[in-house]
């Protein structure tokens, strides 16, 4: 690590690396600090990423780091624990191991945390046969026995989405509010059965999910369980800069939090951009990568404008001195 960079990127996932590549290709000095805790680490493959379909997440990130390095950027493993604006402009970030770096701009792509339902077995099977996104894992779960663990009113929508992929979908009412008549009608129309009662655990035999156990002791055979996590932005660094995450509401239901930004990733704090799941909990890998590219290009444009201002400053001072000399010199009659 050097002491000074044009940009420090906090987070080495798809968003952060994509932004770093865009900046490094523009010949900006870039440091990526990656804690090595990607959200999609439990998943076997990345999907819906054109020309990278089925790539393991770790492989995709390794390729991204190589691209950043190939264009002269730097990537270090570490956790950013502090960030502060400097009086003279720019920012200083501190790592858990005591290292520090300064940057003219920050791109924060720290992602989010999936807060899972408190049911035995859910966390252990997460990303394998406990899933949440039909676009991320739906094809792989097609035609299997799917159970939807209802924890909020969005469960009906989830069930209808997954019904597109399998004829065998069951909704476990669990802790969700009671479904109204219209919701039950929609489920019945698609042949989706509702199982009443709270779920206590998932049944696993060998290394395969085999069923869902209710508090009553009844076990319903299932091969896949769909859950609705709460998506909480990893915003600790941003909070230190005055950027508090706000609640994200979908269908009238609070589903998580995110840090507000405009379409380019610019936040309310000048010089700070965000990209990926920290700003958009719905963003899949390819969308996060696109957001990183957008933020990286906008940061470069902002730095270009600042470079022009800095380059013009000496000329501006010279013009001011000449104007001052003329004001204090002889008038047009030579008096």
């Amino acid at each position: 690590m050097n002491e000074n960079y044009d940009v420090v990127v906090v987070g080495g996932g798809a968003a952060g690396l994509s932004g770093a590549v865009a900046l490094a290709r523009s010949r900006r000095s870039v440091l990526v600090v990656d804690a090595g805790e990607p959200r999609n680490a439990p998943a076997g493959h990345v999907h819906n990423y054109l020309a990278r379909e089925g790539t393991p997440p770790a492989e995709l990130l390794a390729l991204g780091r190589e691209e950043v390095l190939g264009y002269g950027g730097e990537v270090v493993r570490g956790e950013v624990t502090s960030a502060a604006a400097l009086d003279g402009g720019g920012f200083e970030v501190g790592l858990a191991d005591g290292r520090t770096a300064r940057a003219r701009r920050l791109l924060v792509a720290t992602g989010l945390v999936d807060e899972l339902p408190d049911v035995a077995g859910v966390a252990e099977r997460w990303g394998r046969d406990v899933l949440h996104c039909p676009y991320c894992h739906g094809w792989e779960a097609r035609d299997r026995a799917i159970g939807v663990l209802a924890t909020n009113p969005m469960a009906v929508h989830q069930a209808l989405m997954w019904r597109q992929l399998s004829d065998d979908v069951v909704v476990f009412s669990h802790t969700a509010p009671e479904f109204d008549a219209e919701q039950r009608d929609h489920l019945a129309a698609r042949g989706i059965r509702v199982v009443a009662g709270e779920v206590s655990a998932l049944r696993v035999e060998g290394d395969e999910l085999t069923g869902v156990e209710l508090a009553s002791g009844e076990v319903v055979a299932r091969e896949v369980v769909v859950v609705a996590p709460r998506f909480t932005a990893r915003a600790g660094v941003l909070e230190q800069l005055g950027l508090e995450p706000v609640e994200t509401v979908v269908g009238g239901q609070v589903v998580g939090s995110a840090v507000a930004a405009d379409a380019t990733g610019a936040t309310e704090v000048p010089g700070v951009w965000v990209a990926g799941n920290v700003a958009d909990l719905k963003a899949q890998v390819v969308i996060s990568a696109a957001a990183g590219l957008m933020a990286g290009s906008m940061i470069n444009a902002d730095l270009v404008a600042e470079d022009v201002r800095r380059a013009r400053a000496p000329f501006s001072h010279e013009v001011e001195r000449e104007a001052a000399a003329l004001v204090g010199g002889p008038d047009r009659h030579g008096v």
Side-chain angles (χ1 to χ4, degrees):
M1 285 175 54
N2 296 316
E3 292 185 357
N4 296 287
Y5 296 87
D6 287 323
V7 184
V8 167
V9 179
V10 185
L17 292 174
S18 184
V21 168
L23 288 159
R25 282 176 53 84
S26 295
R27 308 193 75 176
R28 295 295 179 185
S29 57
V30 182
L31 171 69
V32 178
V33 183
D34 181 24
E37 299 175 352
R39 177 193 177 198
N40 61 355
H45 306 89
V46 170
H47 297 292
N48 293 309
Y49 199 135
L50 190 62
R52 289 292 183 185
E53 177 64 27
T55 303
E59 180 181 330
L60 186 71
L61 296 183
L63 291 169
R65 289 191 291 269
E66 288 179 9
E67 291 179 2
V68 173
L69 296 172
Y71 289 113
E74 298 178 39
V75 181
V76 299
R77 178 64 62 88
E79 180 186 0
V80 173
T81 54
S82 66
L86 300 173
D87 290 340
F91 305 89
E92 182 174 87
V93 298
L95 279 64
D97 61 9
R99 290 179 291 176
T100 61
R102 293 188 174 191
R104 296 165 66 187
R105 303 291 186 272
L106 292 182
L107 171 55
V108 180
T110 43
L112 60 77
V113 175
D114 296 290
E115 297 180 3
L116 301 171
D118 186 17
V119 172
V122 165
E124 292 79 4
R125 308 300 300 182
W126 175 239
R128 301 167 65 190
D129 38 34
V130 173
L131 313 170
H132 83 286
C133 172
Y135 298 105
C136 301
H137 305 284
W139 176 260
E140 289 66 36
R142 69 192 184 283
D143 298 328
R144 304 182 74 187
I146 298 173
V148 178
L149 186 65
T151 53
N152 61 50
M154 292 296 293
V156 172
H157 173 72
Q158 274 189 304
L160 294 172
M161 293 286 286
W162 285 89
R163 176 62 180 80
Q164 174 67 24
L165 298 154
S166 174
D167 294 336
D168 187 359
V169 178
V170 168
V171 175
F172 296 92
S173 62
H174 192 49
T175 58
E178 185 176 354
F179 301 142
D180 60 30
E182 182 179 36
Q183 289 174 318
R184 287 184 173 275
D185 179 64
H186 288 174
L187 293 171
R190 293 293 281 147
I192 300 172
R193 182 164 64 98
V194 177
V195 176
E198 193 165 334
V199 171
S200 61
L202 303 185
R203 283 285 186 92
V204 178
E205 296 180 10
D207 194 30
E208 298 290 335
L209 175 64
T210 60
V212 173
E213 183 177 346
L214 301 174
S216 64
E218 177 187 359
V219 176
V220 179
R222 294 289 93 184
E223 299 172 285
V224 174
V225 169
V226 174
V227 299
R230 181 183 174 89
F231 308 105
T232 300
R234 288 175 170 165
V237 169
L238 292 162
E239 288 174 355
Q240 294 181 41
L241 296 167
L243 292 165
E244 296 286 338
V246 296
E247 290 183 340
T248 299
V249 178
V250 177
Q253 173 75 24
V254 176
V255 297
S257 62
V259 174
D262 68 14
T264 72
T267 70
E268 293 181 350
V269 175
V272 179
W273 272 257
V274 291
N277 284 147
V278 72
D280 181 3
L281 58 82
K282 300 184 297 300
Q284 291 182 279
V285 177
V286 68
I287 297 172
S288 292
L293 169 60
M294 172 63 78
S297 62
M298 292 299 102
I299 291 171
N300 182 60
D302 192 45
L303 288 171
V304 166
E306 182 174 273
D307 291 340
V308 171
R309 289 193 298 272
R310 289 181 175 181
R312 291 184 67 244
F315 297 102
S316 298
H317 294 325
E318 182 63 30
V319 169
E320 290 174 0
R321 285 194 294 270
E322 291 180 356
L326 289 172
V327 169
D331 63 21
R332 61 189 180 92
H333 297 292
V335 176

